[in-house]
Amino acid sequence: MSILWLLMALLMLSFVLLPVLRRRRGGIELVPPGHPDAADPAAYGFVRQEELDIRLPGPDQDLLEVLELVQRTRDYRAAAQLLAGTESAGELRWQRVQAFAGAAALELQQRPGGVHETPGGQWLRVWRAEQPKDAGGAAVHAEFLVQQAWRTASPGADDFRIIMEEARTVCEQAALLAPGDPVPYVIELSTARGLGYSQAEFEQLWLKILDRAPHHMGAHLAALHYWCEKWHGSREQAYSFAEAAAARAPQGSLLPALPLFAVFEHLPEVNLVASFYQSEVVSRAIHGALHAVHGADRDDPTLPHVRHLLTFFLVCAERWAEAMDQLIHVDGHVGALPWTLSADPAAAFALHRALAVAGYEANGGSPATLPG
């Protein structure tokens, strides 16, 4: 919850700061709105706040086209075909399952249905009814239930547990339909957290994932939540899990960035002091994430996730040039931590982007000096 308070505090400041940030060597000052010296993210070709895509962390044109088709026609078949053609052990399948489930959950929230109205997300129900043995449909259904539980109920409540138990059952069905697919087990990591699996039970589940996809970044991110002190572990256990994964990561993996996510999950209560983000623990985690980004495949679907979190930490640490380097790679899509924790992800991202631009220019930077 601490990060939520941090983002809320920053967002409250944004209405004052965004129009009036001035770049000046040696510091950032306030100027009247519309002042010619005010920092302007548009000068760097950045996307306007209202045009930022909050659905995905980075581009996936095939997914976006299919999502739009499914939502327009309410026909699931394009989604089923896309998942069937997506490698089961890779990160992309997991992200696409999340996206389809999230779209159905959002539709249902916007259109709960009634006597004369079909509820949103009906295409997912039809998918499951018409193709009950489709592993992709089962995985999307399981993830949909998980998201519904977190969206509509409080952990520990009876309705939360009922939905999560159903999600666990559907995870088991999905796993039987595709024995080598790690995705059903990755989804179950969230049910394990919600239902409070014992650590022994969780370890057994984790071994099933390691057997199928030992370096799956999405799985590690999901497992990290369980080990955090706000759930079923501790700061020490979360850090140990993240550092062990980073140490055994193969060349080109983004797992060395996992300690930065562990730091993020254990941020202190509202802290606007840059010195905290310049501490040894945070600096070391940032260094590991930067190293992972530098060596990663440019097409790795989890790369935007790491870049977004790096942007947050680099801005907070006042490492403006490095923050700008991340921004030029992720700008346009904001469906990732930490922005998704905000009620307005686009606004949270835009605030940090504006701070990065102002800080960059206060230290002599300009659009002409930014690497392409």
Side-chain angles (χ1 to χ4, degrees):
M1 290 297 294
S2 58
I3 186 59
L4 287 175
W5 288 109
L6 171 62
L7 288 175
M8 287 172 65
L10 289 172
L11 284 170
M12 290 174 67
L13 290 173
S14 70
F15 294 102
V16 177
L17 294 178
L18 277 177
V20 296
L21 286 170
R22 179 185 187 180
R23 61 269 198 231
R24 179 171 178 173
R25 188 173 299 277
I28 302 174
E29 298 181 355
L30 298 181
V31 297
H35 190 286
D37 244 3
D40 183 11
Y44 295 83
F46 291 146
V47 174
R48 293 168 61 88
Q49 179 178 326
E50 58 269 27
E51 296 174 354
L52 291 168
D53 191 328
I54 65 173
R55 296 172 295 180
L56 301 174
D60 184 346
Q61 193 57 39
D62 289 342
L63 173 61
L64 290 177
E65 289 176 0
V66 168
L67 264 176
E68 290 167 3
L69 177 62
V70 169
Q71 293 180 315
R72 186 178 69 253
T73 64
R74 302 186 183 183
D75 187 333
Y76 69 87
R77 285 176 292 183
Q81 184 177 8
L82 182 65
L83 281 184
T86 304
E87 180 190 2
S88 64
E91 305 282 355
L92 191 59
R93 181 178 177 84
W94 165 229
Q95 293 202 27
R96 286 175 170 176
V97 165
Q98 285 185 303
F100 286 130
L106 182 58
E107 284 182 38
L108 182 59
Q109 180 181 347
Q110 294 172 340
R111 301 195 314 275
V115 178
H116 303 294
E117 182 185 28
T118 301
Q122 183 66 21
W123 52 267
L124 177 55
R125 296 179 184 83
V126 175
W127 186 356
R128 291 291 285 140
E130 292 187 354
Q131 295 194 29
K133 294 186 177 181
D134 179 24
V140 172
H141 184 202
E143 174 64 17
F144 167 82
L145 290 168
V146 167
Q147 293 192 26
Q148 279 295 97
W150 293 113
R151 283 171 183 262
T152 63
S154 300
D158 288 343
D159 51 350
F160 179 87
R161 177 166 289 275
I162 289 169
I163 299 173
M164 279 295 190
E165 290 286 3
E166 184 181 357
R168 177 162 62 177
T169 298
V170 180
C171 283
E172 293 171 354
Q173 295 170 357
L176 290 173
L177 292 169
D181 187 353
V183 169
Y185 299 103
V186 177
I187 298 170
E188 192 179 348
L189 292 173
S190 291
T191 70
R193 177 162 55 101
L195 293 173
Y197 282 24
S198 70
Q199 292 188 1
E201 291 174 317
F202 189 86
E203 290 283 10
Q204 288 299 312
L205 171 60
W206 184 240
L207 286 174
K208 294 177 182 178
I209 293 173
L210 293 182
D211 285 343
R212 292 161 176 81
H215 307 299
H216 197 287
M217 182 67 173
H220 281 80
L221 290 173
L224 178 64
H225 288 298
Y226 177 91
W227 292 114
C228 291
E229 64 182 4
K230 61 187 173 184
W231 287 105
H232 308 293
S234 65
R235 180 190 301 264
E236 292 71 24
Q237 285 176 302
Y239 279 24
S240 176
F241 174 79
E243 289 165 3
R248 65 172 182 267
Q251 183 69 29
S253 169
L254 283 165
L255 286 175
L258 201 62
L260 188 64
F261 287 86
V263 171
F264 175 76
E265 292 295 335
H266 295 88
L267 285 177
E269 295 300 327
V270 177
N271 188 327
L272 302 179
V273 181
S275 59
F276 168 78
Y277 294 95
Q278 296 163 356
S279 65
E280 181 180 354
V281 170
V282 176
S283 295
R284 187 169 63 248
I286 290 175
H287 176 76
L290 286 170
H291 178 75
V293 165
H294 180 73
D297 185 334
R298 301 300 93 180
D299 296 326
D300 190 319
T302 59
L303 182 56
H305 288 279
V306 179
R307 289 193 185 278
H308 279 290
L309 196 64
L310 266 172
T311 298
F312 169 80
F313 274 99
L314 292 169
V315 168
C316 291
E318 299 181 0
R319 295 168 63 168
W320 312 117
E322 292 169 292
M324 292 294 287
D325 184 52
Q326 299 306 316
L327 282 167
I328 61 176
H329 288 94
V330 298
D331 190 71
H333 297 83
V334 296
L337 289 175
W339 328 121
T340 50
L341 293 180
S342 168
D344 189 343
F349 175 82
L351 169 60
H352 284 75
R353 186 177 64 184
L355 289 169
V357 170
Y360 182 64
E361 294 186 353
N363 288 276
S366 71
T369 61
L370 190 66

